[in-house]
Amino acid sequence: MWTLLAILIACALDWFFGDPPRIPHLVVWIGKLISLLEKELRAVFPSTPRGEFCAGVVLVVLTCALPTLLCLLICLLLGLVHPALRMAFEALVCWQCLAMRSLEQAGRNVKAALRQSLEAGRKAVGMIVGRDTTQLTEEEVIKATVETVAENTADGVVAPLFYMMIGGAPMAVLYKAINTMDSMVGYVVEPYTHFGTAAAKTDDVANWIPARLTGLAMVAATVPAQLSTWGAWHVWLRDRRNHRSPNSAQTESACAGALGIQLGGDHVYFGTLVSKPTIGDPLRQPTADDIDRTNTLMIWTSIIAVLVFSIIRLLVIGALVCL
């Protein structure tokens, strides 16, 4: 019960305050660890495809193990003093693993920037995507924002919640380490073609179940969000595999169907054109208001996930007590 209470407190803190102010962020620490390890491992392993792949494997092991074990140790020590201390620490850590408010704010920032100028919109969306945004049209800026919010509904909200419900703060930290590592090195272009392979595959595995749960939750969320439930369900069934990643299209397809727009297509990453299949049907042209609609869909998806996961955890706890 203490862990569930910590998670619910973390959700409330994330919704009302966003990222913790004036507190060194967990993701920043993990990012610095990854940068340090990358530098050292590239210096130790040979600059060959096999050497870089092996270095990437070691990066995955160390990045997953060090923060997770440290978090677990702190939880155990605080629990020995008093369960409430452990709960407070877990709430703080879980708060930093959630991104519902910051994701919603990022979408609103792009929309506000687009009102100023296309160039401002390109710069704003460039802060939240990994692709080249300098030549994007207004429609492409909108679609990039919608795709990012939809995809990160899984990565930034539902997946962390999923792992928190299983193992509290330590499991949340483990997931965040995997996800941060993928966002930093898990690319199919140089200099990460071989070095980032292990990180990308690990992220695929970690997100496999949460992404599909998020896709289903997003379809259900179309009801309170007052979007097209049939469109979300139909496109999700048809296009949920239309992506190089086995997970990204799970949420992008549900979102595209709910909005009645087409997402996906070719994008430029680090100067390299990456071909991607389209997702959804071009029933209409995307507008800036679709960013707000996607934010609403993300929020309701998150609420549904919190409620369902909490009920399941309570049922499991109750079943274990009865044994």
Side-chain angles (χ1 to χ4, degrees):
M1 289 300 295
W2 287 102
T3 296
L4 179 57
L5 182 57
I7 295 170
L8 295 178
I9 291 172
C11 290
L13 289 171
D14 176 59
W15 175 245
F16 287 108
F17 301 106
D19 283 336
R22 301 185 182 88
I23 299 176
H25 203 284
L26 172 67
V27 174
V28 174
W29 290 351
I30 293 174
K32 289 181 178 180
L33 173 64
I34 293 169
S35 295
L36 176 63
L37 290 174
E38 179 184 356
K39 179 181 178 181
E40 296 300 323
L41 290 170
R42 284 188 181 277
V44 171
F45 285 83
S47 299
T48 62
R50 181 177 177 81
E52 290 184 358
F53 173 78
C54 291
V57 171
V58 176
L59 175 72
V60 169
V61 173
L62 294 178
T63 302
C64 289
L66 296 178
T68 305
L69 291 176
L70 178 61
C71 180
L72 178 60
L73 178 61
I74 295 173
C75 285
L76 292 175
L77 292 176
L78 291 177
L80 292 175
V81 179
H82 195 281
L85 283 177
R86 173 170 178 164
M87 183 202 71
F89 175 74
E90 287 204 82
L92 178 62
V93 172
C94 290
W95 177 17
Q96 296 190 52
C97 292
L98 295 169
M100 182 165 60
R101 172 59 72 183
S102 60
L103 193 56
E104 189 252 358
Q105 183 63 54
R108 286 196 285 119
N109 288 344
V110 175
K111 183 179 179 181
L114 274 175
R115 288 175 179 168
Q116 299 175 21
S117 67
L118 175 57
E119 185 59 32
R122 289 168 175 167
K123 290 181 180 178
V125 78
M127 300 294 292
I128 59 174
V129 301
R131 72 190 66 164
D132 182 7
T133 64
T134 57
Q135 302 299 320
L136 295 185
T137 63
E138 180 174 341
E139 179 181 325
E140 289 171 334
V141 169
I142 294 168
K143 289 169 64 175
T145 307
V146 169
E147 289 170 4
T148 298
V149 174
E151 181 178 355
N152 283 283
T153 302
D155 294 357
V157 184
V158 179
L161 277 170
F162 176 80
Y163 286 102
M164 288 174 201
M165 292 292 180
I166 294 174
M171 283 294 288
V173 170
L174 172 60
Y175 173 76
K176 213 61 186 177
I178 293 171
N179 189 243
T180 304
M181 188 166 43
D182 178 65
S183 67
M184 291 180 66
V185 304
Y187 295 98
V188 296
V189 296
E190 293 294 347
Y192 299 113
T193 305
H194 305 289
F195 184 83
T197 300
K201 295 300 182 183
T202 303
D203 185 75
D204 288 344
V205 172
N207 279 296
W208 200 90
I209 293 176
R212 283 147 184 80
L213 293 177
T214 309
L216 289 171
M218 190 169 282
V219 172
T222 58
V223 177
Q226 298 182 333
L227 296 170
S228 175
T229 304
W230 166 249
W233 175 250
H234 170 69
V235 176
W236 178 76
L237 284 176
R238 188 191 68 195
D239 295 347
R240 66 187 187 275
R241 298 184 182 89
N242 285 8
H243 203 283
R244 294 175 66 94
S245 162
N247 302 316
S248 296
Q250 295 288 330
T251 48
E252 290 184 22
S253 59
C255 183
L259 297 176
I261 63 176
Q262 189 172 78
L263 302 175
D266 298 346
H267 302 302
V268 177
Y269 293 87
F270 301 105
T272 301
L273 180 65
V274 178
S275 296
K276 295 183 178 181
T278 57
I279 298 171
D281 300 311
L283 302 180
R284 61 177 181 83
Q285 294 294 111
T287 68
D289 288 338
D290 286 317
I291 296 174
D292 292 332
R293 296 185 185 101
T294 306
N295 276 338
T296 301
L297 188 61
M298 178 271 296
I299 291 168
W300 279 111
T301 301
S302 303
I303 292 171
I304 289 171
V306 171
L307 291 175
V308 172
F309 290 165
S310 297
I311 291 170
I312 292 174
R313 184 176 174 88
L314 286 172
L315 291 174
V316 171
I317 292 173
L320 293 175
V321 170
C322 293
L323 290 177

